[in-house]
Amino acid sequence: VSSLRFDFDNLEIGGRNLIRGSSFNNGPGDVYRYGVDFEIVEDSYVPGTKSLNAVYSTSSNTGTTLNKGFWIIVNDLNIGEEYIFSFYGKGFEEIDSISIYTRPINIFSNLKRTILENGWVRYQGTITPTENTVNIYVRPNGNKDYNFNITFNAPQLEKGNRATDWTPAVEDMATQSQITQLSDAINL
């Protein structure tokens, strides 16, 4: 009972996605290429979203350092507070475990993976930033030099230590004013 109480006492749920454009419906948003090109594809785990797909096939396949994958910039974080990062992916661990870290250097703790259907895996891990702006790097095969074909869907960073279902960032949702203007334009 005391361990259950500890778990509940330390549970924090944020629910607000801090990564803008993470549906990839209007481009890559706050996600950038990291040493490899990617394209937006329809294949996704979360309905109503698209994914980023990156293929790298000119590798020496030696297992040396690679530095390729996805890079996400997130601003206005609270220093010292815990955040959880989650996303859905395919192909990230074909040969070696996935590598996720931040700059300034902060390794994600409690990295969990949940196997889903059709080859999808949900990844999630927590960080406690030491600066207000964090760059998150997501690299396949432990950042080793191997060929890969990866698909990246619905990334989310939220305050707390429990991942919630993906939602768009507040900045990505239409405001009531925009909806009213669109409605008025349609009725003209």
Side-chain angles (χ1 to χ4, degrees), residues 170 173-186:
V170 171
M173 294 188 271
T175 64
Q176 184 59 49
S177 172
Q178 291 169 321
I179 292 170
T180 302
Q181 288 173 6
L182 180 60
S183 176
D184 290 347
I186 292 170

Side-chain angles (χ1 to χ4, degrees), residues 15-36:
R16 181 195 181 299
N17 191 353
L18 301 172
I19 301 173
R20 294 173 302 184
S22 62
S23 72
F24 306 131
N25 288 325
N26 298 307
D30 285 340
V31 180
Y32 301 89
R33 64 185 189 86
Y34 179 45
V36 65

Side-chain angles (χ1 to χ4, degrees), residues 3 14 34 39 55 61-62 64 71 78 90 96 110 113 120 125 135 142 150-151 165 185:
S3 68
Y34 179 45
E39 66 177 333
V55 177
N61 285 308
T62 61
T64 57
W71 168 40
N78 295 325
K90 281 186 182 179
D96 204 345
N110 305 317
R113 48 189 288 272
W120 288 100
N135 297 324
I150 54 176
T151 306
D165 290 342

